[in-house]
Amino acid sequence: MSQMVFDAPPAQRTAHSWMPSSPCGPGCIDSVDEIGTARVIGRLFGVVGLLVSFPVVNVVTPRGRREQLQRRYARTVLSCLGIRLRVVDNRADAGDTADARFGDSGAGLLIVAGHIGWTDVVVLAAVQPLGFVARADMVDWPLLGGLAKLMRVIPIERERLRELPGVVARLGERLAAGDRVAVFPEGTTWCGRAYGTMRPALFQAAVDTGTSVQPVRLRYLDAHGTQSTIPGFVGDDSFGTSAKRVLRSRGMVAEVVLEPVEYPGLDRRDLAHRCEQAVRGADLSRHGAIEASDWIEATATRVQDPESADAQPQRPSRRLRPFRRRGSGHRVAVSTD
C-alpha cells in the first residue's frame, strides 16, 4: 500500500548542468524520535482513507461549505501524520489566531513561503484552502495527483523556459479571478534551517494584477520546541522515504507565521526582496548566504529570468570557418579555437 501511495520521483535529479545544487542533503536531516510500528500503520491507513474519500465527499458537499470541508480534511491529514498546527498572526488587523486565515474568500491573494517538503502543501491548506503552483509531474502521482487536480494546481516545468510566461499568465488569471494561490519562489526544497533566494519571476503575476502578497514564515518544530528538519525533502530523498520519516516522527509541530501583507508595487524584484525579508527576517541560512541572481530554480532544473538585463550571457567570441559535410549539400560552421 505504501509503495502505491508514496511512489514518486526523488527530491533532486541531475539531468544536466543547469540543475539546482542545493547544499541540503542527508546531513541536514535530524534523527527521528520514532513511534511504534502499530501507530505508523494506523497513521498510514488514516492518510490513505482520507485521500481516497476526499474526492467523493467534496463532490457531494454543497459548494458554499466546501472550503470549510477542505480545511477540516487538511487538518485531519496533519493529525494523521502526527503534526500539530500552530498559527501565529503578526498582521496589524489580527483577530482570533485560532481561526486565522490568509484572506477573505473571493479576494485574490498570492501566498509566498519557503519550501521545505511536501507537507508544506497540507500545512498551508490547513490554514485556508488554496491553489498552488507546483511541479508538473505532481499531477501524475498516485492518489496525490488526483488531489492536485482537484486543487487546480498550476503545473510548472521551469526547465522549459519558453513556457514560463504562460505559467505567469495563468497565475495572473487565477489571481484576477479572486483565487488564493500559493507559490514557493525558491523553486526547490531546502531543509528548513537553510534556504535559497526568492526568485522574482512568479511575482510578476501579482504586479500585473495589482494583487496583494501574503508572506508566510513556515517552520517545523520537534517535541522540545527545537526547529526540526525531518519534513525536509532534500538530497536523494524520494517521496516514499520522506513520507516514512514523517509518519514515524513524534511530537512534530508545524508553525505558520502570517507576516504583514505586502502590496505589489511596480517592480517584481523589489516585491520578491520585500517578501524574502518578511519571511526570513534576521535569520541566517545554515549554509551561509545564497548569492543573489536572476536564476529561476526548480526541483528539476534552473533557468535564467527571461526579462533579466543579463538574460543573454556573454559568450567568448569564436572564429568560425565553414566546411561541407560529406554526402550533404549543407555547410556547417565549426570553431577553429
Side-chain angles (χ1 to χ4, degrees):
M1 179 66 73
S2 61
Q3 182 68 20
M4 179 189 71
V5 177
F6 297 127
D7 186 22
Q12 290 189 358
R13 293 167 292 178
T14 54
H16 54 72
S17 60
W18 278 10
M19 304 213 21
S21 55
S22 166
C24 295
C28 296
I29 304 301
D30 300 323
S31 59
V32 180
D33 182 12
E34 294 188 1
I35 61 173
T37 302
R39 290 186 63 189
V40 172
I41 295 174
R43 285 181 175 183
L44 175 60
F45 276 95
V47 171
V48 172
L50 289 167
L51 295 178
V52 171
S53 66
F54 174 74
V56 177
V57 177
N58 186 67
V59 168
V60 300
T61 299
R63 188 175 299 274
R65 298 180 182 178
R66 286 181 184 174
E67 181 172 310
Q68 187 61 29
L69 170 76
Q70 294 165 8
R71 190 187 194 204
R72 286 201 304 268
Y73 253 84
R75 293 192 173 205
T76 305
V77 170
L78 285 182
S79 180
C80 286
L81 292 173
I83 300 176
R84 291 190 296 112
L85 177 66
R86 176 190 300 162
V87 181
V88 179
D89 196 343
N90 287 338
R91 297 173 296 188
D93 58 347
D96 181 9
T97 302
D99 195 47
R101 301 173 187 241
F102 297 122
D104 297 331
S105 297
L109 187 67
L110 182 67
I111 294 93
V112 299
H115 203 7
I116 299 169
W118 57 272
T119 55
D120 300 347
V121 173
V122 184
V123 170
L124 294 180
V127 177
Q128 189 175 16
L130 68 172
F132 291 88
V133 174
R135 48 188 288 182
D137 63 349
M138 183 179 178
V139 298
D140 297 323
W141 293 3
L143 289 181
L144 295 175
L147 291 178
K149 293 175 183 177
L150 284 175
M151 296 170 67
R152 298 171 62 205
V153 163
I154 301 173
I156 183 169
E157 294 183 78
R158 296 191 184 185
E159 64 271 25
R160 299 185 179 182
L161 185 60
R162 293 182 179 179
E163 294 186 4
L164 182 57
V167 173
V168 175
R170 288 193 292 276
L171 175 57
E173 291 171 0
R174 294 277 292 275
L175 296 175
D179 288 355
R180 294 178 302 274
V181 185
V183 299
F184 302 108
E186 292 167 311
T188 190
T189 50
W190 293 71
C191 69
R193 295 192 187 123
Y195 52 84
T197 299
M198 287 193 173
R199 311 302 176 179
L202 295 178
F203 287 92
Q204 187 64 45
V207 173
D208 290 343
T209 59
T211 302
S212 297
V213 182
Q214 172 63 70
V216 174
R217 188 190 299 256
L218 173 61
R219 64 176 184 162
Y220 296 90
L221 307 174
D222 62 21
H224 307 289
T226 303
Q227 190 166 353
S228 173
T229 59
I230 288 174
F233 185 47
V234 295
D236 295 327
D237 265 343
S238 69
F239 189 83
T241 58
S242 174
K244 290 174 185 176
R245 192 167 58 239
V246 171
L247 285 167
R248 290 171 178 166
S249 66
R250 184 194 304 273
M252 195 183 308
V253 176
E255 183 179 77
V256 176
V257 181
L258 305 178
E259 300 294 352
V261 171
E262 296 287 341
Y263 293 97
L266 301 175
D267 185 338
R268 69 173 182 272
R269 289 179 176 81
D270 173 67
L271 177 58
H273 177 71
R274 285 187 279 124
C275 289
E276 185 171 334
Q277 289 293 105
V279 170
R280 303 304 176 195
D283 292 347
L284 295 178
S285 176
R286 170 177 173 169
H287 294 295
I290 306 300
E291 75 282 357
S293 75
D294 292 313
W295 288 101
I296 305 166
E297 293 190 356
T299 300
T301 188
R302 65 173 183 162
V303 296
Q304 202 167 16
D305 187 338
E307 297 186 15
S308 166
D310 301 320
Q312 298 298 327
Q314 296 296 319
R315 300 178 182 271
S317 60
R318 293 185 175 182
R319 184 163 53 89
L320 303 178
R321 62 178 176 81
F323 79 97
R324 186 179 301 276
R325 191 186 301 274
R326 287 185 180 180
S328 170
H330 299 293
R331 295 169 67 84
V332 181
V334 298
S335 171
T336 60
D337 291 349

